Amino acid sequence: MPDINMLIYDLDLPTLTNLLKEWNEPAYRAKQIWQGLYQHFWDSPEQFSNLPKSLRGKLAESVTFSPFNVKVFLDSSDGYTRKTLFELPDRNLIEAVLMRYGDPADNPQIATSPTGRGAKNRRTLCISTQAGCAMGCVFCATGQMGFKRHLSSGEIIAQVMYYARMLKEVNQSVTNIVFMGMGEPFHNYDNSMAALDRLNDPEGYNFGARRFTVSTVGLVPMIRRFADEKRQVNLAISLHAADDESRASMLPINRKYKIDEVIDACRYYVNQTGRRITFEWALIHGVNDTPEVAKKLAARLKGLLCHVNAIPLNPTAGYHGKATDRGGAATFKELLEQAGIPCTIRMRRGINIQAGCGQLAGSVI
Ligand code: SAH
Ligand code: SF4
C-alpha cells in the first residue's frame, strides 16, 4: 500500500511505472503522468485530463503533489528578484529565490537592468537542499540557524516546479538552476543528485546539465565522487580564504578538509570532466579582501582551470564582518587577473528582501 503522504516528485520513472503496475494500469500511463508533471507542471490530479477518471481518483487518494505551503513571498524593490519561503508539513522552512537578469521585459517596474548586462534573459533559480545546515559557516544565515533535516529529492524538485509553473503563466521558463539555497548539497548527496538527474531527464523536465551549478563548502570525498560520476554540471566551491587558519575561522569544515586537499580534489574534478571550476568568495572588509590575500589566492590557484566569483558579503544578524566596498572589490579582481586568474564581481541581488542564503527563514523562525 502506498503511503498516503507519498510525494509524487519523490518517484523516479521506474518506481512510478511499478506503482501503476500494482494498480493494474498500463506502463504508458506512467509516461503520461511524467509528462504532465514535468512538461505541463500540473500539480493536481484533475489537471491530468488525459487519464481516466478512476486513475485520477487513485492519484488523489494516494499521492501528494505539493510538499509545502507558501508561507511568504517577497519581491525585491527593483522587481528582479523573487524569494519564496515554503513551509514543510513538519513546519520546517526552506526557501528558493528567482533572480532575473538583463531583460527589461521581465520587469514592469523599470526599463533597464542594474546588473547582468550581457546576460540577457537569464532567469536563475536558487534552490535549497536541506532545512538549515550543519556546516556552521559563521557569516551564513543558514549556518547560524543550525541543521534541521535533509530534503528529499522530491522536495528539492518541487521548488523548481513551483517556479516553472509560475513562469509558464507569463510564457517564460527557468534558464539556470543553482544549488545555492539553504543547506550543503554534498551533505545530502544522494537526494541532491537524484533531484538533479530527474530534472535532467530528457523525457521529463529536460533541463540541460550545463545549466545546473552545484555549490559545496568543500566536502572532499564528495567532490571526488562527483568528479567520477562525470555529469556535465558546473561545480562551485566556497573557498573564501587562502590559508587554513583564516578559512577555519569562518568555515569550520576546514578543520577536517584543508585547503590543499580541497584544491587537489578540484584539480581531480577538472581532469575528470574537462570543466572549469568556480570558487566562491564572499568579500569581507579587512578579512579576505586585502592585496596579500589576493596574491596568496592567485598562487594557490595557479594552473587550475578556474574562475573566482566574488560577491561582497551579505550582512547577517550573527556576524559582524563588513562587506568590501566597490573600490576594494575592483582591486581584488585586478590583482587576481594580473596573476592570470579570471574573476567576476557579482552584485548583491535582492538584499532588501533578505535574499542572501538562509536569511528569510532565519528572520521568520
Ligand atoms: N552550502 C553550499 C551552498 C549554499 S551557500 C556552499 O556553502 O557552497 C551558497 C553560497 O553563499 C556559498 O558560496 C556561501 O559561502 C555563500 N554565502 C553564505 N552566506 C553568505 C553571506 N552572508 N554573504 C555572501 N555569501 C554568502
Ligand atoms: Fe551551509 Fe553553505 Fe551556509 Fe556554509 S555557506 S553554513 S555550507 S549553507
Side-chain angles (χ1 to χ4, degrees), residues 130 132-144 180-185 215-217 238 240 250-253 357:
Q130 298 176 319
C133 183
M135 300 296 138
C137 305
V138 295
F139 51 70
C140 171
T142 310
Q144 289 159 16
M180 291 192 188
M182 293 171 76
E184 167 49 45
S215 177
T216 176
V217 71
S238 297
H240 305 304
M250 294 186 274
L251 280 58
I253 194 67
C357 176

mmCIF file of all heavy atoms in Angstrom, residues 130 132-144 180-185 215-217 238 240 250-253 357, ligand 2:
data_model
loop_
_atom_site.group_PDB
_atom_site.id
_atom_site.type_symbol
_atom_site.label_atom_id
_atom_site.label_comp_id
_atom_site.label_asym_id
_atom_site.label_seq_id
_atom_site.Cartn_x
_atom_site.Cartn_y
_atom_site.Cartn_z
ATOM 1 N N GLN A 130 18.612 21.362 1.984
ATOM 2 C CA GLN A 130 18.370 20.958 3.368
ATOM 3 C C GLN A 130 17.580 22.074 4.052
ATOM 4 O O GLN A 130 17.631 23.224 3.615
ATOM 5 C CB GLN A 130 19.705 20.794 4.130
ATOM 6 C CG GLN A 130 20.609 19.716 3.552
ATOM 7 C CD GLN A 130 21.959 19.663 4.264
ATOM 8 O OE1 GLN A 130 22.550 20.697 4.593
ATOM 9 N NE2 GLN A 130 22.445 18.450 4.512
ATOM 10 N N GLY A 132 17.956 24.254 7.037
ATOM 11 C CA GLY A 132 19.129 24.562 7.857
ATOM 12 C C GLY A 132 20.384 23.968 7.239
ATOM 13 O O GLY A 132 20.373 23.516 6.088
ATOM 14 N N CYS A 133 21.468 23.978 8.007
ATOM 15 C CA CYS A 133 22.726 23.409 7.510
ATOM 16 C C CYS A 133 23.610 23.080 8.701
ATOM 17 O O CYS A 133 23.639 23.812 9.690
ATOM 18 C CB CYS A 133 23.435 24.401 6.589
ATOM 19 S SG CYS A 133 24.963 23.732 5.883
ATOM 20 N N ALA A 134 24.331 21.975 8.575
ATOM 21 C CA ALA A 134 25.166 21.507 9.687
ATOM 22 C C ALA A 134 26.580 22.083 9.646
ATOM 23 O O ALA A 134 27.376 21.805 10.533
ATOM 24 C CB ALA A 134 25.234 19.975 9.647
ATOM 25 N N MET A 135 26.906 22.865 8.618
ATOM 26 C CA MET A 135 28.307 23.218 8.400
ATOM 27 C C MET A 135 28.767 24.437 9.207
ATOM 28 O O MET A 135 29.965 24.654 9.370
ATOM 29 C CB MET A 135 28.577 23.447 6.905
ATOM 30 C CG MET A 135 28.291 22.222 6.046
ATOM 31 S SD MET A 135 29.401 20.860 6.457
ATOM 32 C CE MET A 135 28.258 19.473 6.420
ATOM 33 N N GLY A 136 27.808 25.230 9.677
ATOM 34 C CA GLY A 136 28.140 26.296 10.628
ATOM 35 C C GLY A 136 29.059 27.402 10.144
ATOM 36 O O GLY A 136 29.759 28.015 10.964
ATOM 37 N N CYS A 137 29.057 27.712 8.871
ATOM 38 C CA CYS A 137 29.887 28.820 8.385
ATOM 39 C C CYS A 137 29.415 30.104 9.087
ATOM 40 O O CYS A 137 28.209 30.382 9.124
ATOM 41 C CB CYS A 137 29.781 28.954 6.874
ATOM 42 S SG CYS A 137 30.196 27.396 6.055
ATOM 43 N N VAL A 138 30.362 30.869 9.632
ATOM 44 C CA VAL A 138 29.974 31.918 10.582
ATOM 45 C C VAL A 138 29.187 33.074 9.962
ATOM 46 O O VAL A 138 28.384 33.706 10.629
ATOM 47 C CB VAL A 138 31.201 32.476 11.348
ATOM 48 C CG1 VAL A 138 31.826 31.408 12.218
ATOM 49 C CG2 VAL A 138 32.239 33.082 10.401
ATOM 50 N N PHE A 139 29.439 33.343 8.679
ATOM 51 C CA PHE A 139 28.775 34.509 8.071
ATOM 52 C C PHE A 139 27.478 34.145 7.384
ATOM 53 O O PHE A 139 26.831 34.980 6.762
ATOM 54 C CB PHE A 139 29.707 35.196 7.058
ATOM 55 C CG PHE A 139 30.303 34.264 6.033
ATOM 56 C CD1 PHE A 139 29.525 33.699 5.054
ATOM 57 C CD2 PHE A 139 31.667 33.957 6.075
ATOM 58 C CE1 PHE A 139 30.067 32.836 4.115
ATOM 59 C CE2 PHE A 139 32.218 33.096 5.144
ATOM 60 C CZ PHE A 139 31.412 32.532 4.162
ATOM 61 N N CYS A 140 27.080 32.894 7.470
ATOM 62 C CA CYS A 140 25.927 32.406 6.705
ATOM 63 C C CYS A 140 24.685 32.290 7.588
ATOM 64 O O CYS A 140 24.723 31.655 8.646
ATOM 65 C CB CYS A 140 26.276 31.054 6.092
ATOM 66 S SG CYS A 140 24.870 30.236 5.351
ATOM 67 N N ALA A 141 23.585 32.899 7.131
ATOM 68 C CA ALA A 141 22.343 32.872 7.913
ATOM 69 C C ALA A 141 21.848 31.441 8.121
ATOM 70 O O ALA A 141 21.321 31.099 9.187
ATOM 71 C CB ALA A 141 21.271 33.711 7.218
ATOM 72 N N THR A 142 22.026 30.582 7.112
ATOM 73 C CA THR A 142 21.587 29.184 7.257
ATOM 74 C C THR A 142 22.477 28.471 8.269
ATOM 75 O O THR A 142 21.986 27.721 9.128
ATOM 76 C CB THR A 142 21.670 28.445 5.907
ATOM 77 O OG1 THR A 142 21.030 29.223 4.913
ATOM 78 C CG2 THR A 142 20.986 27.096 5.984
ATOM 79 N N GLY A 143 23.770 28.709 8.170
ATOM 80 C CA GLY A 143 24.706 28.112 9.131
ATOM 81 C C GLY A 143 24.365 28.542 10.548
ATOM 82 O O GLY A 143 24.428 27.745 11.493
ATOM 83 N N GLN A 144 23.957 29.784 10.689
ATOM 84 C CA GLN A 144 23.653 30.309 12.022
ATOM 85 C C GLN A 144 22.417 29.648 12.635
ATOM 86 O O GLN A 144 22.274 29.585 13.851
ATOM 87 C CB GLN A 144 23.471 31.836 11.953
ATOM 88 C CG GLN A 144 24.786 32.574 11.705
ATOM 89 C CD GLN A 144 24.585 33.987 11.144
ATOM 90 O OE1 GLN A 144 23.496 34.548 11.209
ATOM 91 N NE2 GLN A 144 25.648 34.570 10.588
ATOM 92 N N MET A 180 22.300 26.540 -4.374
ATOM 93 C CA MET A 180 22.993 27.504 -3.510
ATOM 94 C C MET A 180 22.053 28.122 -2.496
ATOM 95 O O MET A 180 22.342 29.182 -1.938
ATOM 96 C CB MET A 180 23.598 28.640 -4.341
ATOM 97 C CG MET A 180 24.743 28.233 -5.216
ATOM 98 S SD MET A 180 25.557 29.710 -5.838
ATOM 99 C CE MET A 180 26.689 28.987 -7.006
ATOM 100 N N GLY A 181 20.908 27.491 -2.281
ATOM 101 C CA GLY A 181 19.993 27.993 -1.261
ATOM 102 C C GLY A 181 20.410 27.440 0.089
ATOM 103 O O GLY A 181 21.600 27.263 0.361
ATOM 104 N N MET A 182 19.427 27.123 0.928
ATOM 105 C CA MET A 182 19.790 26.586 2.233
ATOM 106 C C MET A 182 20.392 25.198 2.097
ATOM 107 O O MET A 182 19.908 24.371 1.325
ATOM 108 C CB MET A 182 18.529 26.487 3.100
ATOM 109 C CG MET A 182 17.958 27.849 3.457
ATOM 110 S SD MET A 182 16.358 27.678 4.244
ATOM 111 C CE MET A 182 16.864 27.159 5.871
ATOM 112 N N GLY A 183 21.409 24.936 2.895
ATOM 113 C CA GLY A 183 21.939 23.581 3.004
ATOM 114 C C GLY A 183 23.170 23.315 2.167
ATOM 115 O O GLY A 183 23.532 24.093 1.281
ATOM 116 N N GLU A 184 23.790 22.187 2.482
ATOM 117 C CA GLU A 184 25.008 21.768 1.797
ATOM 118 C C GLU A 184 24.660 20.555 0.918
ATOM 119 O O GLU A 184 24.433 19.449 1.425
ATOM 120 C CB GLU A 184 26.063 21.417 2.873
ATOM 121 C CG GLU A 184 27.287 20.668 2.396
ATOM 122 C CD GLU A 184 27.970 21.276 1.161
ATOM 123 O OE1 GLU A 184 28.165 22.497 1.107
ATOM 124 O OE2 GLU A 184 28.287 20.500 0.239
ATOM 125 N N PRO A 185 24.594 20.754 -0.399
ATOM 126 C CA PRO A 185 24.140 19.654 -1.268
ATOM 127 C C PRO A 185 24.971 18.374 -1.152
ATOM 128 O O PRO A 185 24.426 17.276 -1.261
ATOM 129 C CB PRO A 185 24.243 20.244 -2.684
ATOM 130 C CG PRO A 185 24.818 21.597 -2.552
ATOM 131 C CD PRO A 185 24.829 21.998 -1.123
ATOM 132 N N SER A 215 26.910 23.961 -5.620
ATOM 133 C CA SER A 215 27.920 24.656 -4.815
ATOM 134 C C SER A 215 28.162 23.881 -3.526
ATOM 135 O O SER A 215 27.210 23.475 -2.852
ATOM 136 C CB SER A 215 27.412 26.064 -4.484
ATOM 137 O OG SER A 215 28.317 26.738 -3.648
ATOM 138 N N THR A 216 29.427 23.680 -3.191
ATOM 139 C CA THR A 216 29.750 22.953 -1.961
ATOM 140 C C THR A 216 30.761 23.718 -1.124
ATOM 141 O O THR A 216 31.613 24.433 -1.658
ATOM 142 C CB THR A 216 30.289 21.538 -2.247
ATOM 143 O OG1 THR A 216 30.665 20.932 -0.991
ATOM 144 C CG2 THR A 216 31.502 21.554 -3.167
ATOM 145 N N VAL A 217 30.657 23.504 0.174
ATOM 146 C CA VAL A 217 31.586 24.124 1.112
ATOM 147 C C VAL A 217 32.955 23.424 1.061
ATOM 148 O O VAL A 217 33.917 23.907 1.637
ATOM 149 C CB VAL A 217 30.952 24.102 2.529
ATOM 150 C CG1 VAL A 217 30.917 22.678 3.087
ATOM 151 C CG2 VAL A 217 31.644 25.047 3.482
ATOM 152 N N SER A 238 32.959 26.856 -2.246
ATOM 153 C CA SER A 238 33.008 28.036 -1.383
ATOM 154 C C SER A 238 34.366 28.068 -0.700
ATOM 155 O O SER A 238 34.595 27.340 0.262
ATOM 156 C CB SER A 238 31.883 27.962 -0.352
ATOM 157 O OG SER A 238 30.647 27.985 -1.018
ATOM 158 N N HIS A 240 36.591 31.224 0.022
ATOM 159 C CA HIS A 240 36.540 32.371 0.947
ATOM 160 C C HIS A 240 37.827 32.717 1.680
ATOM 161 O O HIS A 240 37.880 33.739 2.371
ATOM 162 C CB HIS A 240 35.421 32.219 1.994
ATOM 163 C CG HIS A 240 34.058 31.982 1.414
ATOM 164 N ND1 HIS A 240 33.470 32.835 0.508
ATOM 165 C CD2 HIS A 240 33.164 30.958 1.593
ATOM 166 C CE1 HIS A 240 32.278 32.362 0.180
ATOM 167 N NE2 HIS A 240 32.071 31.223 0.812
ATOM 168 N N MET A 250 36.303 30.846 9.598
ATOM 169 C CA MET A 250 34.991 31.163 9.006
ATOM 170 C C MET A 250 34.185 29.913 8.668
ATOM 171 O O MET A 250 32.969 29.881 8.793
ATOM 172 C CB MET A 250 35.187 31.977 7.718
ATOM 173 C CG MET A 250 35.768 33.341 7.937
ATOM 174 S SD MET A 250 35.806 34.283 6.404
ATOM 175 C CE MET A 250 37.325 33.774 5.686
ATOM 176 N N LEU A 251 34.896 28.876 8.190
ATOM 177 C CA LEU A 251 34.241 27.648 7.724
ATOM 178 C C LEU A 251 34.784 26.471 8.546
ATOM 179 O O LEU A 251 35.867 25.950 8.269
ATOM 180 C CB LEU A 251 34.568 27.404 6.231
ATOM 181 C CG LEU A 251 33.797 28.178 5.155
ATOM 182 C CD1 LEU A 251 33.914 29.671 5.300
ATOM 183 C CD2 LEU A 251 34.247 27.756 3.770
ATOM 184 N N PRO A 252 34.040 26.068 9.580
ATOM 185 C CA PRO A 252 34.542 25.014 10.475
ATOM 186 C C PRO A 252 34.955 23.726 9.736
ATOM 187 O O PRO A 252 35.836 23.014 10.208
ATOM 188 C CB PRO A 252 33.355 24.747 11.407
ATOM 189 C CG PRO A 252 32.549 26.000 11.369
ATOM 190 C CD PRO A 252 32.749 26.616 10.018
ATOM 191 N N ILE A 253 34.370 23.460 8.592
ATOM 192 C CA ILE A 253 34.698 22.233 7.855
ATOM 193 C C ILE A 253 36.182 22.197 7.479
ATOM 194 O O ILE A 253 36.755 21.130 7.243
ATOM 195 C CB ILE A 253 33.811 22.094 6.591
ATOM 196 C CG1 ILE A 253 33.861 20.690 5.980
ATOM 197 C CG2 ILE A 253 34.174 23.116 5.521
ATOM 198 C CD1 ILE A 253 33.257 19.615 6.817
ATOM 199 N N CYS A 357 21.602 33.734 1.349
ATOM 200 C CA CYS A 357 21.426 32.362 1.807
ATOM 201 C C CYS A 357 20.818 32.261 3.214
ATOM 202 O O CYS A 357 21.408 32.702 4.180
ATOM 203 C CB CYS A 357 22.819 31.734 1.771
ATOM 204 S SG CYS A 357 22.922 30.086 2.374
HETATM 205 FE FE1 SF4 B 2 25.941 25.613 4.976
HETATM 206 FE FE2 SF4 B 2 26.803 26.711 2.708
HETATM 207 FE FE3 SF4 B 2 25.818 28.228 4.676
HETATM 208 FE FE4 SF4 B 2 28.179 27.043 4.988
HETATM 209 S S1 SF4 B 2 27.661 28.623 3.489
HETATM 210 S S2 SF4 B 2 26.538 27.098 6.520
HETATM 211 S S3 SF4 B 2 27.827 25.120 3.934
HETATM 212 S S4 SF4 B 2 24.693 26.720 3.511
#
